[in-house]
Amino acid sequence: MHTAPRSSRLAVYVSAAGSGDIHVLRPDEGAGSPGTTPQPEWHTVQRLALGGAIMPMAFSPRQHRLYAVGRSAPFGVHTLAVDAHTGHLSRLGSSPLAGNMVYVSTSLDGQWLLSASYSEDRIAVNAIDADGLAGPTLQVLDTPKQAHAICPAPDGQHVWVSCLGADQLLCYRLGPGPLPLSAQPVMGHQSRAQSGPRHLAFHPNGRWLFVINELDGSVDGLTLGQGDAPPSPLSHARFLPPDQQMAPWSAELRISADGQWLFASDRRAATLSALRIDTGTGQLTLVDCVPTEALPRSFALSPDGLTLFVASQETGRLSIMAFDPDAGRMRLHSQLACGTSPTWVEAIPLPH
């Protein structure tokens, strides 16, 4: 039986595009995780108004800074300091971005802010200073149609980009210097036609890359090559019920820290799925698929892998779901309001 660590030192962050704010959520102090007894109640401990359509977010590697992107003109990124004790946010500064960016991440060393624009077919790099403050845009590169995600590889030397409209994954070399990304991709992967690769997640073993496909309700696994060698196919699985009649509109994927579970959401079906990862082969098996509230665009997974936080973009509610890793089953624990049109969720542990 899996023994759950206590999770009262956890903070959850939800960006709400419609209300232009970020909600910081904490559980009751001293309570167990939603997978244990007693189960904690969650509360909004801060609502930070930033204005504009606040959407993608990313933490710095040390998790002491949060970068929140505004997707309404003028396009920019807010750098927010994270209080290590309370999880509260405070503003440090803002910087312009190279366009309407749908995804943001940081390099593993925390020196670069990486962003991707779906509508403008481009990726960009902003410098991050020694205090963690994002600065001006240093580099902009054109991509094939509809760049959607940009993520640093576990080796710290490459950056992967999904291009949904081109059914392609591209990989750029990341290095020192004023223009950190290689001007052209050093390798790539052609996805299935009209699959629509959207978001990316690296397995904790550092060798596997998983991709959620927006247009066909599936996940693909790839084995990363050495150096600049291209990846090779590893696994493929659909995660929607066989009787699902509506066209998929898949959104987010997350992998548990122990590497045994992959979770995936679909907005049109309004479902969240749990797939078991064979840690020896990388093969995927669908174990559970549960209904959510409408438009589950984003969700986060607690570090202990026992709790999922699923935002409904349509209702403005965050569903807190318990996960039993032994049975692979999810169940709803509670819900709370988290602004208008919540579109991004992150969860981090706070130091004890």
Side-chain angles (χ1 to χ4, degrees), residues 198-288:
R198 177 183 170 91
H199 280 184
L200 313 171
F202 293 95
H203 192 271
N205 67 17
R207 297 183 287 109
W208 298 339
L209 170 62
F210 289 92
V211 185
I212 189 170
N213 300 300
E214 179 174 313
L215 304 181
D216 70 2
S218 73
V219 174
D220 285 304
L222 302 172
T223 299
L224 298 174
Q226 295 292 320
D228 292 348
S232 57
L234 174 69
S235 56
H236 170 76
R238 289 186 55 82
F239 58 84
L240 292 174
D243 59 353
Q244 170 66 32
Q245 299 297 316
M246 295 179 287
W249 195 24
S250 304
E252 184 66 275
L253 82 165
R254 302 275 182 166
I255 296 175
S256 60
D258 63 10
Q260 297 186 38
W261 291 97
L262 183 150
F263 302 90
S265 66
D266 188 274
R267 288 166 287 182
R268 188 167 284 122
T271 56
L272 183 67
S273 300
L275 298 94
R276 189 185 301 273
I277 303 173
D278 186 312
T279 56
T281 67
Q283 297 303 301
L284 300 165
T285 302
L286 177 62
V287 177
D288 198 15

Side-chain angles (χ1 to χ4, degrees), residues 6 13 36 58 64 67 85 124 128 132 216 228 241 298 342-343:
R6 303 178 79 80
Y13 300 82
T36 67
H64 71 309
Y67 304 100
H85 178 68
I128 298 175
D216 70 2
D228 292 348
S298 180
T343 56

Side-chain angles (χ1 to χ4, degrees), residues 145-339:
K145 189 176 181 182
Q146 296 172 336
H148 211 303
I150 180 167
C151 302
D155 65 7
Q157 300 175 16
H158 294 87
V159 170
W160 282 89
V161 177
S162 60
C163 295
L164 189 151
D167 296 317
Q168 287 183 340
L169 303 181
L170 303 176
C171 182
Y172 297 80
R173 191 178 292 112
L174 178 67
L179 300 178
L181 291 182
S182 58
Q184 298 294 329
V186 296
M187 58 177 151
H189 174 77
Q190 186 65 49
S191 300
R192 290 182 311 283
Q194 299 183 343
S195 59
R198 177 183 170 91
H199 280 184
L200 313 171
F202 293 95
H203 192 271
N205 67 17
R207 297 183 287 109
W208 298 339
L209 170 62
F210 289 92
V211 185
I212 189 170
N213 300 300
E214 179 174 313
L215 304 181
D216 70 2
S218 73
V219 174
D220 285 304
L222 302 172
T223 299
L224 298 174
Q226 295 292 320
D228 292 348
S232 57
L234 174 69
S235 56
H236 170 76
R238 289 186 55 82
F239 58 84
L240 292 174
D243 59 353
Q244 170 66 32
Q245 299 297 316
M246 295 179 287
W249 195 24
S250 304
E252 184 66 275
L253 82 165
R254 302 275 182 166
I255 296 175
S256 60
D258 63 10
Q260 297 186 38
W261 291 97
L262 183 150
F263 302 90
S265 66
D266 188 274
R267 288 166 287 182
R268 188 167 284 122
T271 56
L272 183 67
S273 300
L275 298 94
R276 189 185 301 273
I277 303 173
D278 186 312
T279 56
T281 67
Q283 297 303 301
L284 300 165
T285 302
L286 177 62
V287 177
D288 198 15
C289 182
V290 298
T292 67
E293 293 207 323
L295 291 179
R297 178 172 179 147
S298 180
F299 66 91
L301 180 65
S302 63
D304 61 19
L306 301 180
T307 316
L308 294 142
F309 304 90
V310 189
S312 166
Q313 190 174 5
E314 185 167 302
T315 68
R317 285 191 288 269
L318 186 76
S319 296
I320 299 166
M321 306 184 72
F323 177 65
D324 179 350
D326 297 311
R329 301 295 175 180
M330 299 172 284
R331 62 179 176 83
L332 179 66
H333 166 56
S334 59
Q335 293 178 316
L336 71 165
C338 55

Side-chain angles (χ1 to χ4, degrees), residues 15-19 54-55 312-316 338-344:
S15 64
S19 47
I54 304 300
M55 296 181 71
S312 166
Q313 190 174 5
E314 185 167 302
T315 68
C338 55
T340 304
S341 190
T343 56
W344 207 273

